[in-house]
Amino acid sequence: MIGVFDSGFGGLTVLKSVVQKMPEYNYLYLGDSARVPYGERSQETVYTYTIQAVDFLFKKGCQLVIIACNTVSSRALRRIQQEFLPGAYPDRKVLGVIRPSAEELVDRKCRKVGILATKGVVDSKIYTEELEEIDPPIEIFYQPCPLLVPIIEAGRQDEPRCDELVSGYLDGLFAQEGAIDTILLSCTHYPILYDAFRRHTPDQVEILSQGPIIADKLEDYLERHMEVERGLSRGGNRVFYSTGSLETFDRLAGVFYGEPIRAIPATLDSPE
Ligand code: DGL
């Protein structure tokens, strides 16, 4: 089984693309909607919450967990891989969304990239760090969009206020650099506002959502790691867990996932 974790609904935009590409596997989604947003929480808090989430997914039988959240990938992933997994689950894998997205920017030969993200991701400068290892001729410009996740989690993405916020954040980005060629929606919640981003962005600027990128890179990863692929159960099951209100999850999650969803309640505790 493949586990997919996000602080709320956003990871469903990634799950949707992954399931479209690889429908044969069983998937288990966990949204920590009771504690969303993570974007302004401390690194320590995000780490603690993520250990609880990963432990939950492993105990449910996942062999591989995708952290479908940039905030968690930037603030906790490395520590999970280096400190938590070796002692607690040495035979399981946890992958994030930053490295594959950074590789995509290189593959596409982008030059001036706008990263729209939560405050946590922007403060971490994680894309600059990841790209330094590859060292391509790419310049990164960060723009935090702190009000978008709360407004999306409240199901208010169609309100005019949301459009105004998107336009204001893009103004902030283009004020830094007018010749940006690519914008990466580096928060898995933002694809739900893709049309608004497109409306306020010059036509020649490409806007990338992470769902299709993660789906392609995951397929490639599984082809290269047959030992992981062989451990994944097949059957096309999809199970959804939420720590928050199930009524809200079922109502709003369908918008992200594109199909009706019935979630199961989840309680997250720290592993012993
Ligand atoms: N979807 C998460 C991300 O990609 C949202 C983070 C939050 O909870 O603020 O960053």
Side-chain angles (χ1 to χ4, degrees):
M1 205 153 39
I2 299 178
V4 177
F5 169 59
D6 180 49
S7 57
F9 302 124
L12 289 165
T13 61
V14 172
L15 178 65
K16 186 177 166 187
S17 298
V18 170
V19 162
Q20 266 167 7
K21 185 137 213 133
M22 292 169 282
E24 65 275 25
Y25 300 117
N26 294 330
Y27 293 90
L28 205 160
Y29 184 84
L30 171 63
D32 192 9
S33 290
R35 302 189 293 199
V36 73
Y38 280 16
E40 309 224 357
R41 293 189 190 275
S42 73
Q43 195 150 355
E44 201 54 40
T45 303
V46 173
Y47 179 64
T48 305
Y49 289 176
T50 307
I51 285 194
Q52 295 171 353
V54 166
D55 187 64
F56 177 91
L57 290 166
F58 284 156
K59 286 198 172 120
K60 293 281 174 207
C62 295
Q63 295 298 321
L64 167 67
V65 169
I66 311 298
I67 303 286
C69 176
N70 292 262
T71 307
V72 174
S73 298
S74 68
R75 312 218 101 184
L77 178 65
R78 203 165 295 166
R79 218 170 134 194
I80 294 274
Q81 289 170 332
Q82 291 173 358
E83 294 175 26
F84 177 64
L85 286 188
Y89 295 98
D91 59 336
R92 317 271 180 110
K93 296 277 184 270
V94 180
L95 304 175
V97 289
I98 307 281
R99 170 52 75 126
S101 304
E103 286 172 0
E104 179 77 10
L105 298 176
V106 176
D107 293 349
R108 287 174 174 264
K109 302 197 179 358
C110 303
R111 287 292 173 265
K112 290 181 190 286
V113 176
I115 300 282
L116 301 178
T118 64
K119 184 175 177 304
V121 172
V122 170
D123 289 350
S124 74
K125 300 276 177 286
I126 187 79
Y127 279 92
T128 315
E129 205 178 288
E130 285 288 347
L131 287 168
E132 257 162 27
E133 288 177 25
I134 310 172
D135 198 24
I138 298 181
E139 271 183 275
I140 297 286
F141 302 89
Y142 292 94
Q143 174 63 44
C145 309
L147 296 178
L148 294 186
V149 171
I151 210 163
I152 293 169
E153 286 280 328
R156 293 170 47 207
Q157 66 273 1
D158 295 329
E159 293 183 8
R161 170 85 184 122
C162 219
D163 201 66
E164 286 163 24
L165 284 171
V166 165
S167 161
Y169 290 139
L170 286 167
D171 287 348
L173 179 66
F174 286 110
Q176 296 177 53
E177 170 57 62
I180 280 171
D181 54 66
T182 308
I183 287 176
L184 176 67
L185 301 181
S186 188
C187 172
T188 53
H189 282 69
Y190 299 172
I192 206 81
L193 296 173
Y194 182 89
D195 291 350
F197 282 111
R198 190 65 274 174
R199 235 184 344 266
H200 297 290
T201 301
D203 289 348
Q204 72 277 14
V205 179
E206 185 114 39
I207 302 180
L208 304 178
S209 296
Q210 289 174 306
I213 299 173
I214 304 308
D216 283 351
K217 304 281 182 198
L218 180 60
E219 186 179 55
D220 180 55
Y221 173 88
L222 292 175
E223 275 167 17
R224 288 183 290 108
H225 293 85
M226 290 314 284
E227 75 290 357
V228 178
E229 201 280 337
R230 273 193 294 271
L232 299 175
S233 59
R234 290 159 183 266
N237 294 333
R238 288 91 178 84
V239 179
F240 300 87
Y241 283 91
S242 171
T243 59
S245 149
L246 296 188
E247 183 275 321
T248 312
F249 192 93
D250 292 353
R251 186 162 43 84
L252 300 180
V255 179
F256 285 79
Y257 190 61
E259 281 175 33
I261 281 177
R262 292 297 295 271
I264 302 170
T267 307
L268 301 185
D269 300 309
S270 291
E272 285 110 48

